[in-house]
Amino acid sequence: MDAFRIAGPFSIRDTGSAPDFPGLYIWYARFRVEEADWSSACAGSDELARLRLLRAVREHSLKFGRREMAVRAESNFSSTWNGTLHEDYSKRWKVNPSDCEDEPDGFSNRLEAALPSDGMRELFVSLLDCGFPLFCPPLYLGKAATQTLRTRLGQHSFNFLELWERYVADRQFIERLENPKDFAERAIKLGFSPDDLFCVTLAPTAKTTKGLQANEISALIDASEWLLNRWATPILGRQ
């Protein structure tokens, strides 16, 4: 239906192109590589090109870890255990964290049959890009209910890029954050860079909202954002 309009994807450096209207937005990570990452002419051989592409896929994939989980357990006589659980991503991806990145692991075992030649590697990269964002997990789903999407996403962009500059200068500080408080801190702690992040927006059209009061538009956006977050459970979301 034409009552709502999907726009994007917008990179985190291009949020000024987002709709100047209230609505919903969702952040994704896009897998993007250049010809140098899959071409044998650039790498020097098919084998080196295969390893380059596997390395890029591996690095991107391992960013999709679940954040640590705070746990509390109680037993008899008020005995209490508190702690933090971290995902063992080696089980999901069949990798050994201590292995050299060029060693056989879950990625090479599952993907190598699709990567023997330039033509196959180019098609593989194209297929993954064509699947964006339809087949990609959401990172963060938010709303712009009392301001426009352009304004809200501009705040996301400013906060992330400012924090990214600090991270580039001091890569250890993000590891010291025990409880990242916002989208930017959580995204950088999981390894996402500005080149990864793109958002898609969903906004009602001016025709749709004709006759509605501002508080009614806000109520529609609030209710939809609350429900969609719980359906999608984006990995960088919190409440």
Side-chain angles (χ1 to χ4, degrees):
M1 60 187 301
D2 59 2
F4 298 89
R5 183 169 298 146
I6 296 173
F10 308 102
S11 78
I12 199 162
R13 294 187 174 95
D14 188 34
T15 54
S17 299
D20 198 22
F21 205 83
L24 302 170
Y25 62 89
I26 187 164
W27 285 102
Y28 294 99
R30 189 172 194 171
F31 178 66
R32 305 192 75 179
V33 291
E34 303 297 333
E35 184 177 354
D37 294 299
W38 56 260
S39 168
S40 59
C42 296
S45 70
D46 272 322
E47 176 62 13
L48 290 176
R50 183 185 70 85
L51 290 174
R52 281 188 182 181
L53 184 53
L54 277 174
R55 186 181 304 119
V57 170
R58 189 183 202 271
E59 290 176 353
H60 185 76
S61 300
L62 293 180
K63 297 173 184 177
F64 290 92
R66 288 287 172 175
R67 303 201 320 272
E68 61 270 14
M69 180 188 305
V71 296
R72 174 186 172 88
E74 295 183 358
S75 184
N76 56 328
F77 300 106
S78 301
S79 298
T80 303
W81 286 263
N82 294 298
T84 302
L85 296 180
H86 299 268
E87 181 193 4
D88 182 358
Y89 63 80
S90 66
K91 303 299 183 184
R92 179 157 39 136
W93 298 108
K94 301 292 190 276
V95 297
N96 185 340
S98 63
D99 281 348
C100 170
E101 60 186 4
D102 292 339
E103 290 293 321
D105 60 15
F107 292 98
S108 57
N109 291 336
R110 295 293 300 181
L111 305 180
E112 62 182 6
L115 311 178
S117 65
D118 280 352
M120 289 285 284
R121 288 188 292 272
E122 183 177 13
L123 285 174
F124 178 71
V125 169
S126 178
L127 177 59
L128 294 178
D129 195 51
C130 287
F132 174 86
L134 183 61
F135 296 106
C136 294
L139 299 182
Y140 187 90
L141 194 158
K143 63 185 178 182
T146 59
Q147 56 187 323
T148 69
L149 286 162
R150 187 177 302 172
T151 298
R152 183 71 188 103
L153 291 172
Q155 294 165 353
H156 269 274
S157 176
F158 178 83
N159 292 338
F160 185 92
L161 295 175
E162 184 178 54
L163 192 66
W164 180 257
E165 288 185 7
R166 181 182 172 190
Y167 172 68
V168 170
D170 176 16
R171 292 185 177 268
Q172 297 303 313
F173 95 92
I174 204 72
E175 300 301 326
R176 299 192 291 268
L177 291 175
E178 295 184 359
N179 186 28
K181 68 179 185 299
D182 57 21
F183 167 76
E185 290 185 356
R186 295 195 288 274
I188 292 175
K189 188 158 187 177
L190 279 183
F192 294 105
S193 74
D195 292 336
D196 296 323
L197 299 176
F198 290 79
C199 67
V200 173
T201 63
L202 176 61
T205 63
K207 181 179 179 180
T208 305
T209 57
K210 184 178 181 180
L212 292 180
Q213 300 297 316
N215 65 311
E216 293 175 314
I217 298 173
S218 180
L220 286 172
I221 294 171
D222 284 341
S224 300
E225 185 263 352
W226 182 89
L227 186 59
L228 290 171
N229 256 310
R230 281 149 183 80
W231 284 353
T233 60
I235 64 175
L236 297 180
R238 184 163 57 182
Q239 291 293 335

